[in-house]
C-alpha cells in the first residue's frame, strides 16, 4: 500500500467513535418501539441477556480480529483463510443494505428539527397525519435524506482521525447532555410513574420465539456487531489499547443510552395516556404530541430531541459507510475520496427507493415487502445474527487460541483474567444460542421468499468468496 494505514488519535477519540457507531437510531428510535411492542420489561430483560452474554463476547472478538489483522472486514477474515472472505463480504453487504434505509430515517430526524419550530406542534391531533404525509411525500424526505447523506460523505472523506474521530469527540458528549435534559423534563411529568412501571414490570405473555429473534437482532444492530464494523474500527487501534476493557465500555455506553431513551420516552407516553405500541412512528408521532403539551418550551424540547436523534444517527451511519469504504481501500487499493463517492452514490439510490416505498412506490414489492422493509428485515433479522454467529465460529475454531490470547493481553503485558471464560463462551455457547434463536426465528419470518433470498445471498457469497 502506498499510504500508511490510518489510526485513531487517542483513546478518548476511539471510544467516542466506537460508542458513536453503537449509539444510534437503534437505541433511540428502534429500541423504545420494540420494547413497546414486545411487552416492556420482558423484552428489556431478554435484550439485556443477549447483550451481556453474546454482545460483549462478539464485540471483544471483533476488536481482536480487527486489530490482529490491521484490516477491515474482508481482509481480516482473508488474512486467516481465503475461504472465510465471504463472512467479511456478508458484513460489507450488510453495511450497504443498512445504509439503504438508515439515511432515510436520519433525514426524517433533520426534518423534524426544523418542523419543531414551524407549526408541527400547533395542532396535536394532526401530528400523526403530518408524519404520514411527510414520509410518503415524493420530494421532501428525499431532499433531507440527500442532505443527511452529504454530511456523511463530508465526514468520512476526511478520514479516520480528521473526520470520524473528530465528529465523534464533539457529538457524543453533546448527545449525553441532550439526553439528560430530555429525561429531566419527561420524568418530572405527573403520571410518569406508570411508564416506569411498564419498563420495570415484565409482561411475559407477549414473549414468543420472534421476541427472542427481535432481541438478538436488536442487540447486534444496536452494538454495531455481526457486520465487521467493530472489526474495522478495531483495525485502527494501536497496540497499547486494552481490548476487553474497551469492549466493556462501549457495550455499557450503548446499553445505557438505550435504557435512558426508554426512560425518557415511556413515562411521557403514560403521563399523556398514549399507547406504547405505536411501532416505528413512536418517536415521530407520539413524542411530538407530548412536546405539544409542554407549552412555550415544547418546540425547544422537540428540536433538542430530534437534534439528539440526528447526532446519534450520524455517528452510526458514518461507521456504516466506513465499513464499505475501508473494504475498498484495503482490498481494492481505492483512494478514500473515490471510495466514499462511489459508495454513497449507490446508497443514495437505495435510499431513494426506500423512501419512495413509503408513498409513491408503496404498491411495489420485492419478496413481499417494500424496499424500506426489504433492507431492514434482511439485515436486522437475517444477516447480522448469522454474521455474528460466523464470527464466533471463525474465532473459536479457525484462529489460534494463543494468537487470540496474545492480542487480548497485548502480548502478555496486560492481564485479561476472564480470557478462558470469554474463549469458551465465544467458541461453544454463543454459536449455539445464536443458532437456536436464529434458526427458529428466521424460519418463522412471515416473508418466506425474502428469507430464502437472504439465505441464498449468503450461499452465493460463500461460493465466490475467493474473488472478493
Ligand atoms: N448501531 C447503530 C444503531 O444502533 C446501527 C449500526 C449497525 C451501525 C451496524 C453500524 C453497524 O443505530
Amino acid at each position: 500500500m502506498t499510504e500508511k494505514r490510518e489510526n485513531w488519535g487517542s483513546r478518548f477519540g476511539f471510544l467516542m467513535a466506537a460508542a458513536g457507531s453503537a449509539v444510534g437510531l437503534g437505541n433511540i428510535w428502534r429500541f423504545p418501539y420494540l420494547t413497546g411492542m414486545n411487552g416492556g420489561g420482558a423484552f428489556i430483560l431478554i435484550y439485556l441477556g443477549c447483550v451481556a452474554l453474546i454482545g460483549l463476547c462478539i464485540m471483544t472478538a471483533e476488536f481482536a480480529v480487527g486489530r490482529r489483522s490491521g484490516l477491515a472486514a474482508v481482509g481480516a477474515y482473508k488474512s486467516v483463510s481465503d475461504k472465510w472472505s465471504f463472512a467479511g463480504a456478508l458484513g460489507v453487504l450488510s453495511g450497504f443494505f443498512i445504509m439503504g434505509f438508515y439515511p432515510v430515517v436520519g433525514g426524517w430526524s433533520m426534518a423534524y428539527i426544523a418542523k419543531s419550530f414551524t407549526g408541527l406542534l400547533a395542532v396535536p391531533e394532526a401530528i400523526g397525519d403530518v408524519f404520514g404525509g411527510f414520509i410518503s411525500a415524493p420530494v421532501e424526505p428525499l431532499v433531507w435524506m440527500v442532505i443527511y447523506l452529504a454530511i456523511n460523505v463530508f465526514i468520512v472523506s476526511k478520514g479516520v482521525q480528521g473526520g470520524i474521530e473528530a465528529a465523534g469527540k464533539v457529538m457524543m458528549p453533546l448527545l449525553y447532555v441532550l439526553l439528560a435534559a430530555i429525561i429531566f423534563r419527561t420524568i418530572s411529568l405527573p403520571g410518569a410513574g406508570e411508564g416506569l412501571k411498564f419498563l420495570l414490570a415484565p409482561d411475559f405473555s407477549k414473549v414468543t420465539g420472534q421476541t427472542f429473534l427481535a432481541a438478538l437482532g436488536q442487540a447486534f444492530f444496536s452494538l454495531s456487531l455481526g457486520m465487521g464494523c467493530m472489526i474495522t474500527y478495531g483495525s485502527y487501534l494501536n497496540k497499547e489499547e486494552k481490548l476487553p476493557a474497551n469492549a466493556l465500555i462501549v457495550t455499557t455506553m450503548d446499553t445505557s443510552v438505550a435504557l435512558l431513551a426508554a426512560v425518557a420516552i415511556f413515562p411521557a407516553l403514560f403521563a399523556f395516556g398514549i399507547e406504547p405500541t405505536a411501532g416505528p412512528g413512536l418517536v415521530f408521532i407520539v413524542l411530538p404530541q407530548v412536546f405539544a403539551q409542554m407549552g412555550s418550551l415544547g418546540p425547544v424540547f422537540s428540536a433538542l430531541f430530534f437534534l439528539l436523534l440526528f447526532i446519534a444517527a450520524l455517528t452510526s451511519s458514518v461507521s456504516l459507510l466506513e465499513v464499505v469504504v475501508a473494504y475498498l481501500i484495503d482490498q481494492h487499493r481505492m483512494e478514500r475520496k473515490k471510495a466514499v463517492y462511489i459508495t454513497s452514490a449507490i446508497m443514495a439510490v437505495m435510499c431513494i427507493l426506500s423512501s419512495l416505498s413509503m408513498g409513491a412506490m408503496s404498491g411495489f414489492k420485492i419478496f413481499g415487502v417494500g424496499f424500506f422493509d426489504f433492507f431492514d428485515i434482511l439485515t436486522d433479522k437475517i444477516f447480522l445474527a448469522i454474521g455474528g454467529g460466523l464470527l464466533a465460529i471463525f474465532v473459536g475454531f479457525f484462529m489460534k487460541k494463543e494468537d487470540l490470547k496474545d492480542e487480548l493481553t497485548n502480548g502478555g503485558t496486560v492481564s485479561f483474567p476472564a480470557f478462558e471464560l470469554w474463549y469458551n463462551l465465544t467458541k461453544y455457547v454463543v454459536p449455539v444460542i445464536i443458532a437456536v434463536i436464529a434458526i427458529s426465528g428466521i424460519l418463522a419470518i412471515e416473508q418466506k421468499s425474502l428469507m430464502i433470498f437472504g439465505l441464498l445471498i449468503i450461499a452465493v457469497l460463500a461460493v465466490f468468496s475467493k474473488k472478493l
Side-chain angles (χ1 to χ4, degrees), residues 82-161:
D82 266 357
K83 285 203 189 69
W84 275 89
S85 311
F86 82 99
L90 180 64
V92 173
L93 197 67
S94 303
F96 243 115
F97 281 2
I98 297 176
M99 282 300 273
F101 70 91
Y102 209 93
V104 175
V105 184
W108 296 351
S109 68
M110 288 181 84
Y112 267 63
I113 301 174
K115 285 183 195 295
S116 298
F117 295 112
T118 55
L120 171 73
L121 307 182
V123 195
E125 311 79 64
I127 290 173
D129 293 340
V130 170
F131 180 66
F134 165 65
I135 64 167
S136 60
V139 182
E140 198 191 344
L142 294 186
V143 174
W144 288 109
M145 179 276 288
V146 169
I147 299 174
Y148 178 87
L149 204 50
I151 301 175
N152 283 271
V153 168
F154 176 76
I155 294 174
V156 178
S157 63
K158 288 207 167 320
V160 176
Q161 251 188 57

Side-chain angles (χ1 to χ4, degrees), residues 346-363:
I346 303 172
M347 290 168 177
V349 174
M350 302 188 340
C351 285
I352 291 173
L353 294 173
S354 283
S355 186
L356 293 179
S357 75
M358 302 276 165
M361 286 173 57
S362 61

Side-chain angles (χ1 to χ4, degrees), residues 152-273:
N152 283 271
V153 168
F154 176 76
I155 294 174
V156 178
S157 63
K158 288 207 167 320
V160 176
Q161 251 188 57
I164 300 173
E165 181 173 348
K169 280 201 292 204
V170 179
M171 289 198 274
M172 286 311 286
L174 182 60
L175 182 142
Y176 274 95
V177 173
L178 289 174
L179 192 58
I182 305 268
I183 292 182
F184 189 68
R185 181 66 194 92
T186 56
I187 204 123
S188 56
L189 293 167
E194 276 306 301
L196 286 180
K197 224 188 260 164
F198 177 74
L199 294 177
L200 296 175
D203 169 9
F204 282 99
S205 67
K206 295 221 172 59
V207 172
T208 63
Q210 283 293 308
T211 317
F212 281 89
L213 182 63
L216 182 69
Q218 171 65 13
F220 277 109
F221 186 85
S222 189
L223 293 167
S224 304
L225 298 176
M227 47 134 340
C229 185
M230 292 302 174
I231 296 181
T232 307
Y233 274 24
S235 74
Y236 303 132
L237 263 176
N238 67 42
K239 291 284 177 198
E240 282 77 54
E241 281 303 334
K242 296 180 189 150
L243 301 182
N246 282 316
L248 185 62
I249 294 173
V250 175
T251 305
T252 309
M253 286 177 75
D254 184 69
T255 309
S256 63
V257 173
L259 295 175
L260 288 174
V263 169
I265 292 170
F266 285 98
L269 297 189
F270 283 82
F272 292 107

